[in-house]
Amino acid sequence: MWFSLVADWITGVTSSVLSDGTIRRLVDEGRIKIDPWDPGMVQPASVDLRLGTSFRVFHNHRIKAVDLGDPPTGLTELLEVEENGDFVIHPTEFVLGRTTETVELPDDVVARIEGKSSLGRLGLIVHATAGFVDPGFRGSLTLEITNFNSVPIVLRPGLPIAQLSFMTLDRPAERPYGHPELGSHYHGQTEATESRYEGGPAERSLRK
């Protein structure tokens, strides 16, 4: 408790979800980096993120099943959509997309990516499990997009697709994302990136 209060006094940031004013301040100070940065995308406690131009579609005919003990590779194909183009996701289809923005976090801030409620009410889900962004992460964010509607949904680059909220840690992470001792598989990614899950021995783990 005492350490947390001292840390709050030093940094001027409380260990909680950051408000709009605090988000803008940390971006202005360069501690949180969002590129391109549009202050108009800031919500009361989050920042809206836009859909990028790259997608990865799955080729289900290539394998019989996904064995997590021996994960397959090359299951997806990278597709690039023009800025004024569109991408149709069909009912029950699952694809990977990315955010237009790249994000860089300091070693004492984490983030969570969530879908837009208005899109969720149309049956469009933008992440399955990868909602947590580690301290120290740098890159665009891969979206796990699913259409739970009964009709196709048309996606267009630039569409506000998700929102990112931020929280401070009680102290800086000792090994932030990108640390050489960690398997930071997605550090610096700039396009929709397929799974780099390492199966096999129990000590291996999925790094987000």
Side-chain angles (χ1 to χ4, degrees):
M1 177 67 176
W2 178 85
F3 180 88
S4 178
L5 291 174
V6 171
D8 293 348
W9 178 78
I10 293 173
T11 63
V13 177
T14 57
S15 299
S16 58
V17 177
L18 304 188
S19 68
D20 48 3
T22 302
I23 293 171
R24 284 191 291 265
R25 176 170 63 83
L26 294 184
V27 170
D28 289 342
E29 293 173 355
R31 296 194 60 227
I32 293 176
K33 298 179 181 179
I34 302 175
D35 184 31
W37 168 241
D38 180 358
M41 301 292 278
V42 178
Q43 301 300 324
S46 65
V47 177
D48 281 351
L49 301 176
R50 295 167 294 180
L51 182 64
T53 57
S54 71
F55 297 87
R56 281 196 172 271
V57 297
F58 286 77
H59 294 293
N60 298 331
H61 63 279
R62 292 181 178 175
I63 61 169
K64 294 180 180 179
V66 174
D67 182 354
L68 297 182
D70 183 21
T73 59
L75 284 182
T76 64
E77 176 186 355
L78 180 65
L79 298 178
E80 288 286 345
V81 177
E82 295 182 358
E83 292 285 349
N84 59 350
D86 57 42
F87 181 92
V88 178
I89 179 170
H90 294 272
T92 72
E93 188 175 11
F94 175 77
V95 303
L96 300 177
R98 73 166 177 88
T99 59
T100 295
E101 292 81 6
T102 58
V103 176
E104 184 173 351
L105 300 181
D107 58 7
D108 60 349
V109 173
V110 299
R112 289 201 63 87
I113 188 168
E114 299 289 349
K116 301 284 291 179
S117 61
S118 295
L119 297 180
R121 297 176 195 192
L122 294 174
L124 187 70
I125 306 302
V126 302
H127 81 79
T129 61
F132 187 80
V133 186
D134 284 299
F137 174 84
R138 182 183 72 252
S140 62
L141 299 173
T142 293
L143 304 169
E144 304 159 334
I145 307 173
T146 305
N147 178 4
F148 282 123
N149 206 321
S150 57
V151 296
I153 296 176
V154 179
L155 302 177
R156 293 185 174 87
L159 171 78
I161 192 75
Q163 53 189 344
L164 195 65
S165 60
F166 303 89
M167 292 152 283
T168 54
L169 300 179
D170 59 347
R171 67 187 69 189
E174 296 178 355
R175 298 192 303 170
Y177 202 84
H179 190 281
E181 295 182 6
L182 299 178
S184 305
H185 293 157
Y186 309 112
H187 197 58
Q189 64 186 6
T190 58
E191 61 184 29
T193 306
E194 67 180 358
S195 174
R196 293 172 178 167
Y197 179 75
E198 295 181 354
E203 64 270 16
R204 295 181 185 174
S205 64
L206 174 61
R207 290 296 306 169
K208 292 170 60 273

